[in-house]
């Protein structure tokens, strides 16, 4: 199977990327294609870093060259392709799927993606706090409190916090400050990474903390899953849920890489 045929089979321009669990399930249902190349590498050409399979630039589903301005991202992409075994499994290629989406979809929808990130800030998960039990309340306060304080200092505006699930409208000046910061995210790669970080974490606040290097990847992941981890401590976690979380973690790492190096 050629590079073009493989990429066309697992994606189409203008269609949303499948979520990690759906991608894994689809990969298990369908016969995976055989590996058709020996070596995946990075070639620098015309100011871009090309992901090359046996020396030939790979193409996205929309037949755009898989070529970007970031060497770290290109090297990580090539590593995904090189790590494939006898069969090529898109379920374990989260960065390739995300970059394809960025090059084929985000590239002509910059403003719509930025606007969605700002809208997300209007209902950020970190702004909704538990009223009980006391140890969860304290954990949210101690972990999320400093993150929000840092975000407010960086933005020059305050978030509105609420208990429970009752909607709390964020101030217009806060959303305007978020919009100004989001306007500086480089498109399409960093912007695509920002969007995925936001959706996987439920938080624009955490995404901005990663973009500004106020948190590292593991700190942001832990903060995003504070409530989930609390429930796991009490009730445990079944094998299927653990597998889904592992897939989300891999997706998150790919998104952070794009956000910070795209």
């Amino acid at each position: 199977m050629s590079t073009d045929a493989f990429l066309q089979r697992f994606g189409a321009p203008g269609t949303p990327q499948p979520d990690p669990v759906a991608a894994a399930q689809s990969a298990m249902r369908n016969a995976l294609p055989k590996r058709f190349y020996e070596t995946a590498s990075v070639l620098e050409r015309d100011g871009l870093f090309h992901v090359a399979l046996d020396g030939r630039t790979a193409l996205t589903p929309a037949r755009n060259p898989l070529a970007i301005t970031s060497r770290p991202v290109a090297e990580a992409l090539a590593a995904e392709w090189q790590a494939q075994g006898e069969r090529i499994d898109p379920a374990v290629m989260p960065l390739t799927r995300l970059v394809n989406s960025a090059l084929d979809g985000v590239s002509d929808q910059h403003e719509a993606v930025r606007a969605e990130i700002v809208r997300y800030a209007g209902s950020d998960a970190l702004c909704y706090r538990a009223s009980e039990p006391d140890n969860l309340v304290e954990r949210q306060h101690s972990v999320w409190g400093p993150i929000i304080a840092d975000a407010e200092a960086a933005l020059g505006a305050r978030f509105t916090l609420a208990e429970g699930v009752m909607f709390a409208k964020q101030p217009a000046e806060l959303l305007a400050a978020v919009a100004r910061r989001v306007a500086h995210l480089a498109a399409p790669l960093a912007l695509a990474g920002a969007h995925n970080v936001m959706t996987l974490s439920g938080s624009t606040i955490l995404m901005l903390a990663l973009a500004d290097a106020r948190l590292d990847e593991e700190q942001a992941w832990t903060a995003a899953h504070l409530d989930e981890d609390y429930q796991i401590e009490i009730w445990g976690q079944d094998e299927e849920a653990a597998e889904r979380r592992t897939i989300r973690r891999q997706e998150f790492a790919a998104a952070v890489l794009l956000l910070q190096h795209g």
Side-chain angles (χ1 to χ4, degrees), residues 131-154:
S131 58
E132 58 179 0
D134 290 345
N135 53 351
L136 176 58
V137 172
E138 174 56 32
R139 189 179 300 187
Q140 289 179 342
H141 176 75
S142 63
V143 175
W144 292 352
I147 295 172
I148 289 179
D150 286 347
E152 290 176 337

mmCIF file of all heavy atoms in Angstrom, residues 131-154:
data_model
loop_
_atom_site.group_PDB
_atom_site.id
_atom_site.type_symbol
_atom_site.label_atom_id
_atom_site.label_comp_id
_atom_site.label_asym_id
_atom_site.label_seq_id
_atom_site.Cartn_x
_atom_site.Cartn_y
_atom_site.Cartn_z
ATOM 1 N N SER A 131 -18.825 20.984 46.616
ATOM 2 C CA SER A 131 -19.178 21.531 47.926
ATOM 3 C C SER A 131 -18.898 20.529 49.042
ATOM 4 O O SER A 131 -18.830 20.904 50.219
ATOM 5 C CB SER A 131 -20.655 21.924 47.956
ATOM 6 O OG SER A 131 -21.486 20.811 47.648
ATOM 7 N N GLU A 132 -18.708 19.272 48.673
ATOM 8 C CA GLU A 132 -18.371 18.198 49.601
ATOM 9 C C GLU A 132 -17.847 17.012 48.787
ATOM 10 O O GLU A 132 -18.047 16.982 47.557
ATOM 11 C CB GLU A 132 -19.601 17.788 50.426
ATOM 12 C CG GLU A 132 -20.775 17.330 49.587
ATOM 13 C CD GLU A 132 -21.955 16.921 50.430
ATOM 14 O OE1 GLU A 132 -21.884 16.977 51.667
ATOM 15 O OE2 GLU A 132 -22.964 16.518 49.825
ATOM 16 N N PRO A 133 -17.172 16.080 49.417
ATOM 17 C CA PRO A 133 -16.672 16.032 50.797
ATOM 18 C C PRO A 133 -15.499 17.007 51.014
ATOM 19 O O PRO A 133 -14.915 17.504 50.053
ATOM 20 C CB PRO A 133 -16.217 14.586 50.951
ATOM 21 C CG PRO A 133 -15.833 14.173 49.561
ATOM 22 C CD PRO A 133 -16.794 14.889 48.645
ATOM 23 N N ASP A 134 -15.174 17.214 52.251
ATOM 24 C CA ASP A 134 -14.189 18.242 52.591
ATOM 25 C C ASP A 134 -12.819 17.975 51.987
ATOM 26 O O ASP A 134 -12.129 18.917 51.568
ATOM 27 C CB ASP A 134 -14.054 18.362 54.114
ATOM 28 C CG ASP A 134 -15.283 18.977 54.756
ATOM 29 O OD1 ASP A 134 -16.107 19.564 54.027
ATOM 30 O OD2 ASP A 134 -15.421 18.868 55.996
ATOM 31 N N ASN A 135 -12.404 16.690 51.937
ATOM 32 C CA ASN A 135 -11.059 16.425 51.415
ATOM 33 C C ASN A 135 -10.977 16.678 49.908
ATOM 34 O O ASN A 135 -9.934 17.101 49.397
ATOM 35 C CB ASN A 135 -10.588 15.017 51.764
ATOM 36 C CG ASN A 135 -11.572 13.942 51.358
ATOM 37 O OD1 ASN A 135 -12.698 14.226 50.959
ATOM 38 N ND2 ASN A 135 -11.147 12.690 51.465
ATOM 39 N N LEU A 136 -12.077 16.472 49.167
ATOM 40 C CA LEU A 136 -12.082 16.816 47.742
ATOM 41 C C LEU A 136 -12.089 18.331 47.564
ATOM 42 O O LEU A 136 -11.382 18.871 46.706
ATOM 43 C CB LEU A 136 -13.292 16.205 47.045
ATOM 44 C CG LEU A 136 -13.469 16.572 45.561
ATOM 45 C CD1 LEU A 136 -12.246 16.184 44.745
ATOM 46 C CD2 LEU A 136 -14.734 15.925 44.999
ATOM 47 N N VAL A 137 -12.887 19.035 48.379
ATOM 48 C CA VAL A 137 -12.922 20.495 48.332
ATOM 49 C C VAL A 137 -11.526 21.067 48.563
ATOM 50 O O VAL A 137 -11.076 21.967 47.834
ATOM 51 C CB VAL A 137 -13.907 21.049 49.384
ATOM 52 C CG1 VAL A 137 -13.791 22.576 49.477
ATOM 53 C CG2 VAL A 137 -15.331 20.646 49.045
ATOM 54 N N GLU A 138 -10.837 20.537 49.551
ATOM 55 C CA GLU A 138 -9.499 21.023 49.864
ATOM 56 C C GLU A 138 -8.514 20.695 48.748
ATOM 57 O O GLU A 138 -7.646 21.511 48.404
ATOM 58 C CB GLU A 138 -9.027 20.427 51.188
ATOM 59 C CG GLU A 138 -7.583 20.754 51.551
ATOM 60 C CD GLU A 138 -7.304 22.248 51.579
ATOM 61 O OE1 GLU A 138 -8.219 23.033 51.927
ATOM 62 O OE2 GLU A 138 -6.167 22.642 51.256
ATOM 63 N N ARG A 139 -8.657 19.531 48.166
ATOM 64 C CA ARG A 139 -7.749 19.149 47.078
ATOM 65 C C ARG A 139 -7.940 20.066 45.877
ATOM 66 O O ARG A 139 -6.970 20.508 45.256
ATOM 67 C CB ARG A 139 -7.987 17.686 46.679
ATOM 68 C CG ARG A 139 -6.952 17.139 45.711
ATOM 69 C CD ARG A 139 -7.186 15.685 45.359
ATOM 70 N NE ARG A 139 -7.146 14.802 46.524
ATOM 71 C CZ ARG A 139 -7.195 13.466 46.441
ATOM 72 N NH1 ARG A 139 -7.272 12.880 45.250
ATOM 73 N NH2 ARG A 139 -7.164 12.733 47.531
ATOM 74 N N GLN A 140 -9.186 20.344 45.511
ATOM 75 C CA GLN A 140 -9.438 21.262 44.402
ATOM 76 C C GLN A 140 -8.864 22.651 44.707
ATOM 77 O O GLN A 140 -8.255 23.281 43.831
ATOM 78 C CB GLN A 140 -10.940 21.360 44.143
ATOM 79 C CG GLN A 140 -11.548 20.117 43.534
ATOM 80 C CD GLN A 140 -13.047 20.260 43.331
ATOM 81 O OE1 GLN A 140 -13.697 21.128 43.934
ATOM 82 N NE2 GLN A 140 -13.621 19.414 42.487
ATOM 83 N N HIS A 141 -9.065 23.103 45.925
ATOM 84 C CA HIS A 141 -8.573 24.427 46.308
ATOM 85 C C HIS A 141 -7.043 24.489 46.229
ATOM 86 O O HIS A 141 -6.478 25.452 45.691
ATOM 87 C CB HIS A 141 -9.039 24.774 47.720
ATOM 88 C CG HIS A 141 -8.503 26.071 48.234
ATOM 89 N ND1 HIS A 141 -8.973 27.301 47.802
ATOM 90 C CD2 HIS A 141 -7.502 26.347 49.129
ATOM 91 C CE1 HIS A 141 -8.311 28.258 48.413
ATOM 92 N NE2 HIS A 141 -7.413 27.717 49.218
ATOM 93 N N SER A 142 -6.369 23.458 46.724
ATOM 94 C CA SER A 142 -4.911 23.502 46.796
ATOM 95 C C SER A 142 -4.261 23.308 45.434
ATOM 96 O O SER A 142 -3.187 23.876 45.167
ATOM 97 C CB SER A 142 -4.399 22.443 47.779
ATOM 98 O OG SER A 142 -4.729 21.139 47.337
ATOM 99 N N VAL A 143 -4.883 22.511 44.559
ATOM 100 C CA VAL A 143 -4.295 22.255 43.237
ATOM 101 C C VAL A 143 -4.754 23.288 42.218
ATOM 102 O O VAL A 143 -3.940 23.877 41.493
ATOM 103 C CB VAL A 143 -4.641 20.828 42.755
ATOM 104 C CG1 VAL A 143 -4.139 20.614 41.320
ATOM 105 C CG2 VAL A 143 -4.027 19.786 43.685
ATOM 106 N N TRP A 144 -6.052 23.510 42.138
ATOM 107 C CA TRP A 144 -6.582 24.407 41.113
ATOM 108 C C TRP A 144 -6.420 25.885 41.472
ATOM 109 O O TRP A 144 -6.275 26.724 40.580
ATOM 110 C CB TRP A 144 -8.058 24.113 40.873
ATOM 111 C CG TRP A 144 -8.314 22.787 40.224
ATOM 112 C CD1 TRP A 144 -7.386 21.920 39.698
ATOM 113 C CD2 TRP A 144 -9.583 22.165 40.021
ATOM 114 N NE1 TRP A 144 -7.992 20.809 39.178
ATOM 115 C CE2 TRP A 144 -9.348 20.929 39.366
ATOM 116 C CE3 TRP A 144 -10.891 22.530 40.337
ATOM 117 C CZ2 TRP A 144 -10.385 20.079 39.023
ATOM 118 C CZ3 TRP A 144 -11.929 21.677 39.992
ATOM 119 C CH2 TRP A 144 -11.680 20.459 39.346
ATOM 120 N N GLY A 145 -6.452 26.200 42.763
ATOM 121 C CA GLY A 145 -6.377 27.597 43.174
ATOM 122 C C GLY A 145 -5.159 28.325 42.632
ATOM 123 O O GLY A 145 -5.295 29.396 42.005
ATOM 124 N N PRO A 146 -3.955 27.804 42.843
ATOM 125 C CA PRO A 146 -2.769 28.500 42.316
ATOM 126 C C PRO A 146 -2.741 28.584 40.792
ATOM 127 O O PRO A 146 -2.226 29.565 40.229
ATOM 128 C CB PRO A 146 -1.605 27.633 42.832
ATOM 129 C CG PRO A 146 -2.160 26.936 44.035
ATOM 130 C CD PRO A 146 -3.592 26.660 43.706
ATOM 131 N N ILE A 147 -3.289 27.562 40.116
ATOM 132 C CA ILE A 147 -3.305 27.586 38.649
ATOM 133 C C ILE A 147 -4.197 28.718 38.158
ATOM 134 O O ILE A 147 -3.833 29.462 37.231
ATOM 135 C CB ILE A 147 -3.789 26.220 38.101
ATOM 136 C CG1 ILE A 147 -2.796 25.123 38.466
ATOM 137 C CG2 ILE A 147 -3.974 26.294 36.589
ATOM 138 C CD1 ILE A 147 -3.287 23.719 38.137
ATOM 139 N N ILE A 148 -5.362 28.858 38.771
ATOM 140 C CA ILE A 148 -6.275 29.938 38.385
ATOM 141 C C ILE A 148 -5.670 31.302 38.734
ATOM 142 O O ILE A 148 -5.764 32.255 37.942
ATOM 143 C CB ILE A 148 -7.647 29.750 39.051
ATOM 144 C CG1 ILE A 148 -8.363 28.552 38.419
ATOM 145 C CG2 ILE A 148 -8.499 31.010 38.909
ATOM 146 C CD1 ILE A 148 -9.719 28.259 39.011
ATOM 147 N N ALA A 149 -5.027 31.403 39.904
ATOM 148 C CA ALA A 149 -4.407 32.677 40.296
ATOM 149 C C ALA A 149 -3.335 33.089 39.295
ATOM 150 O O ALA A 149 -3.242 34.273 38.913
ATOM 151 C CB ALA A 149 -3.815 32.561 41.699
ATOM 152 N N ASP A 150 -2.542 32.138 38.846
ATOM 153 C CA ASP A 150 -1.515 32.443 37.845
ATOM 154 C C ASP A 150 -2.141 32.877 36.519
ATOM 155 O O ASP A 150 -1.636 33.794 35.846
ATOM 156 C CB ASP A 150 -0.619 31.222 37.617
ATOM 157 C CG ASP A 150 0.340 30.980 38.775
ATOM 158 O OD1 ASP A 150 0.494 31.876 39.623
ATOM 159 O OD2 ASP A 150 0.930 29.877 38.815
ATOM 160 N N ALA A 151 -3.222 32.198 36.134
ATOM 161 C CA ALA A 151 -3.902 32.558 34.888
ATOM 162 C C ALA A 151 -4.477 33.968 34.976
ATOM 163 O O ALA A 151 -4.385 34.759 34.023
ATOM 164 C CB ALA A 151 -5.010 31.551 34.580
ATOM 165 N N GLU A 152 -5.073 34.288 36.111
ATOM 166 C CA GLU A 152 -5.641 35.624 36.290
ATOM 167 C C GLU A 152 -4.559 36.696 36.236
ATOM 168 O O GLU A 152 -4.760 37.763 35.642
ATOM 169 C CB GLU A 152 -6.397 35.680 37.614
ATOM 170 C CG GLU A 152 -7.682 34.853 37.607
ATOM 171 C CD GLU A 152 -8.376 34.821 38.954
ATOM 172 O OE1 GLU A 152 -7.679 35.039 39.979
ATOM 173 O OE2 GLU A 152 -9.595 34.581 38.990
ATOM 174 N N ALA A 153 -3.402 36.401 36.829
ATOM 175 C CA ALA A 153 -2.303 37.359 36.791
ATOM 176 C C ALA A 153 -1.812 37.566 35.358
ATOM 177 O O ALA A 153 -1.510 38.695 34.941
ATOM 178 C CB ALA A 153 -1.162 36.884 37.684
ATOM 179 N N ALA A 154 -1.736 36.474 34.597
ATOM 180 C CA ALA A 154 -1.263 36.574 33.217
ATOM 181 C C ALA A 154 -2.269 37.300 32.333
ATOM 182 O O ALA A 154 -1.883 38.051 31.424
ATOM 183 C CB ALA A 154 -0.990 35.179 32.659
#
